[in-house]
């Protein structure tokens, strides 16, 4: 092989990427030096056609160079994690990958997804839980199929060698952020439940225009007073109590609406029987008068002066403050007319089985700070410790009743 062929072969190997510029320069200098030594001999050697070609064993060994690699988080794995940690997590990981790949434009697009997703996540705090979960899941899929999938295609298209980066640190940050978001969601939801209802608008004062005096007309015959509603079909569940202590107004007002400013339909003295229709806006009860002057009338009374028969008035407590652990056998919604009779029936059944301390407790009792409003609860007994209450729960269940222990107040 002559000098020109060797140089051409060397250039071809460099163009194919098998030799770096330094290796190419060193090999070319060695070939030229060897050719110079051969031409400087005093008697040139005549080469016959029968002689063997010059051996190439003296050429330097060609070692291909390895392409540069980039440390990245796997973009497809980031997409899978975004299903649980929202699209914000995936957009954040992809933005950092784009910066490593020296693609600031694509990194800025990923950051815009983070900003838009953050605004959507804040709006989801005001939504019901199921709706908010659906919105965040939609955000994850929308981000991946519109923007996230392009990073994996970019790496494959440019044949970039990837050294996978560990996931421990970003996953820890993502889970902490998700936990904070979920906690914030429950705080907002609790505040929304505890917010007071909108107050009733004050009555608009109407200005009456003076009317001309009408001509005298014959007096009409008085209309008969409307007859009250027929007698209740149920026995009285409450009676009026503790009004005699008020010297100025020793009665309970029966009003047209659940408001202290509403029209008064009647004045009920102590021991007037009442039939509970439903528990209205606390502390008002909708009742039907069961006896007395206003028998059959329906309206609203303040629960403080309506005593359940065989119980204490609503607003006052018969519970022992030293025994906060209660064994509950039933909780009936006050909005149903059968809730109080049903609770009393359950208490009677408990007493027949030997649970003589069983009684009906009003969920609006001021001591029951851990109870929900507007329930009649069947309390089997009360205890000072949780363990004592649990022992009675087991006994009540053995007798064929459902029961559980609950702390009534802190």
């Amino acid at each position: 092989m002559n000098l020109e062929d060797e140089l051409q072969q060397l250039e071809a190997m460099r163009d194919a990427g098998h030799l770096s510029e330094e290796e190419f320069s060193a090999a070319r200098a060695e070939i030229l030096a060897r050719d110079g030594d051969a031409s400087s001999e005093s008697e040139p050697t005549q080469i016959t056609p029968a002689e063997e070609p010059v051996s190439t064993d003296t050429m330097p060994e060609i070692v291909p160079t390895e392409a540069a690699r980039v440390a990245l988080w796997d973009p497809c794995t980031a997409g899978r994690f975004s299903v649980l940690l929202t699209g914000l997590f995936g957009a954040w990981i992809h933005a950092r990958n784009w910066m490593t790949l020296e693609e600031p434009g694509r990194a800025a697009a990923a950051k815009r997804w983070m900003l838009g997703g953050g605004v959507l996540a804040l709006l989801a705090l005001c939504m019901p839980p199921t709706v908010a979960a659906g919105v965040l899941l939609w955000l994850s899929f929308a981000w991946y199929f519109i923007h996230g999938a392009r990073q994996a295609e970019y790496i494959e298209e440019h044949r970039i060698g990837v050294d996978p980066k560990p996931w421990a640190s970003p996953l820890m940050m993502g889970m902490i952020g998700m936990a904070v978001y979920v906690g914030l969601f429950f705080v907002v939801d609790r505040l929304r439940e505890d917010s007071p209802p909108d107050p009733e608008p004050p009555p608009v004062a109407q200005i009456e225009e003076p009317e001309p005096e009408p001509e005298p007309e014959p007096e009409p015959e008085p209309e008969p007073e409307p007859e009250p509603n027929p007698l209740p079909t149920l026995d009285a569940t409450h009676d009026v109590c503790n009004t005699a202590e008020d010297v100025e107004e020793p009665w309970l007002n029966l009003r047209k609406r659940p408001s202290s400013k509403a029209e008064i339909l009647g004045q009920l003295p102590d021991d007037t029987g009442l039939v509970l229709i439903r528990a209205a806006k606390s502390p008002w009860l909708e009742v039907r008068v069961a006896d007395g002057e206003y028998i059959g009338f329906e309206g609203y009374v303040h629960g403080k002066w309506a005593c359940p028969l065989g119980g204490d008035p609503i607003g006052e407590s018969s519970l022992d403050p030293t025994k906060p652990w209660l064994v509950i056998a039933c909780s009936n919604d006050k909005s149903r007319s059968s809730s109080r009779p049903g609770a009393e029936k359950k208490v009677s059944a408990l007493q027949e089985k030997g649970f003589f301390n069983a009684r009906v407790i009003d969920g609006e009792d001021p001591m029951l700070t851990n109870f929900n409003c507007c329930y009649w609860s069947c309390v089997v007994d009360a205890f000072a410790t949780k363990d004592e209450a649990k022992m009675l729960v087991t006994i009540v269940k053995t007798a064929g009743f459902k029961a559980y222990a609950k702390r009534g107040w802190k």
Side-chain angles (χ1 to χ4, degrees):
M1 180 180 295
N2 58 26
L3 175 64
E4 184 178 356
D5 292 338
E6 289 186 24
L7 293 176
Q8 288 180 355
Q9 181 181 5
L10 197 63
E11 291 177 356
M13 295 178 69
R14 180 196 62 181
D15 295 340
H18 297 301
L19 291 176
S20 64
E21 288 294 336
E22 295 179 355
E23 293 172 339
F24 171 76
S25 299
R28 185 173 182 277
E30 184 176 350
I31 293 173
L32 293 176
R34 187 176 67 248
D35 183 70
D37 293 340
S39 61
S40 62
E41 295 179 358
S42 57
E43 294 182 0
T45 305
Q46 183 177 2
I47 300 176
T48 62
E51 291 179 343
E52 293 292 332
V54 178
S55 174
T56 60
D57 294 339
T58 60
M59 295 182 62
E61 183 179 359
I62 299 173
V63 180
T65 60
E66 185 175 340
R69 300 179 66 83
V70 181
L72 299 173
W73 286 293
D74 182 34
C76 295
T77 303
R80 298 186 189 99
F81 284 137
S82 67
V83 176
L84 296 177
L85 301 177
T86 76
L88 295 174
F89 177 81
W92 172 58
I93 293 295
H94 277 216
R96 297 186 64 178
N97 279 351
W98 285 125
M99 293 301 294
T100 304
L101 293 170
E102 298 181 355
E103 289 287 348
R106 297 175 186 265
K111 292 178 181 178
R112 286 194 294 270
W113 271 95
M114 290 177 59
L115 178 61
V119 173
L120 188 61
L122 291 177
L123 293 176
L125 292 174
C126 303
M127 303 176 185
T130 53
V131 177
V135 169
L136 296 179
L137 187 62
W138 173 86
L139 171 63
S140 300
F141 283 104
W143 162 78
Y144 183 77
F145 288 107
I146 296 176
H147 181 80
R150 297 180 182 179
Q151 191 168 95
E153 297 174 358
Y154 177 91
I155 294 173
E156 183 178 359
E157 180 180 352
H158 291 77
R159 298 181 180 179
I160 299 173
V162 176
D163 289 331
K165 298 178 72 173
W167 282 99
S169 178
L171 279 180
M172 180 64 68
M173 296 178 64
M175 287 188 290
I176 292 174
M178 195 64 183
V180 171
Y181 179 80
V182 172
L184 183 61
F185 182 87
F186 281 107
V187 170
V188 173
D189 187 62
R190 183 62 180 270
L191 292 176
R192 186 166 56 242
E193 291 179 356
D194 295 343
S195 60
D198 296 335
E200 296 183 0
V204 180
Q206 297 181 355
I207 302 176
E208 297 182 358
E209 297 181 358
E211 298 181 356
E213 295 182 0
E215 297 180 358
E217 295 181 358
E219 294 183 359
E221 296 181 0
E223 297 181 358
E225 296 184 358
E227 297 182 358
N229 293 332
L231 294 177
T233 57
L234 295 176
D235 294 335
T237 59
H238 295 67
D239 58 9
V240 180
C241 61
N242 301 332
T243 61
E245 299 175 359
D246 190 339
V247 179
E248 296 180 358
E249 296 182 358
W251 58 76
L252 175 61
N253 289 323
L254 179 69
R255 296 186 179 272
K256 190 173 183 178
R257 293 185 297 106
S259 172
S260 59
K261 298 180 180 180
E263 177 186 350
I264 297 176
L265 302 178
Q267 296 173 338
L268 311 177
D270 277 356
D271 300 327
T272 301
L274 303 174
V275 178
L276 178 65
I277 297 176
R278 67 181 182 91
K281 182 174 62 175
S282 178
W284 295 91
L285 305 176
E286 185 178 0
V287 298
R288 176 184 297 168
V289 181
D291 53 43
E293 180 182 355
Y294 298 96
I295 185 172
F297 278 65
E298 293 183 0
Y300 296 85
V301 297
H302 196 290
K304 182 177 180 180
W305 292 278
C307 297
L309 294 180
D312 297 306
I314 298 173
E316 300 181 5
S317 177
S318 63
L319 296 170
D320 185 350
T322 64
K323 298 179 179 180
W325 284 97
L326 308 179
V327 177
I328 311 297
C330 75
S331 292
N332 296 346
D333 190 348
K334 284 186 177 181
S335 61
R336 298 193 301 270
S337 59
S338 61
S339 62
R340 172 72 187 201
E344 292 176 344
K345 184 177 180 181
K346 177 63 70 66
V347 167
S348 299
L350 287 165
Q351 292 176 348
E352 290 177 359
K353 292 291 185 177
F355 303 102
F356 300 111
N357 291 333
R359 59 193 184 277
V360 177
I361 295 296
D362 186 0
E364 295 183 80
D365 189 300
M367 287 187 62
L368 299 176
T369 56
N370 290 353
F371 274 46
N372 293 326
C373 169
C374 308
Y375 284 87
W376 294 113
S377 298
C378 307
V379 176
V380 185
D381 210 340
F383 299 91
T385 64
K386 185 178 181 180
D387 292 336
E388 293 175 327
K390 284 187 173 181
M391 290 178 61
L392 183 60
V393 167
T394 303
I395 297 172
V396 173
K397 288 183 178 180
T398 305
F401 298 93
K402 295 182 179 179
Y404 61 96
K406 182 173 181 178
R407 190 182 182 97
W409 58 91
K410 295 183 180 179

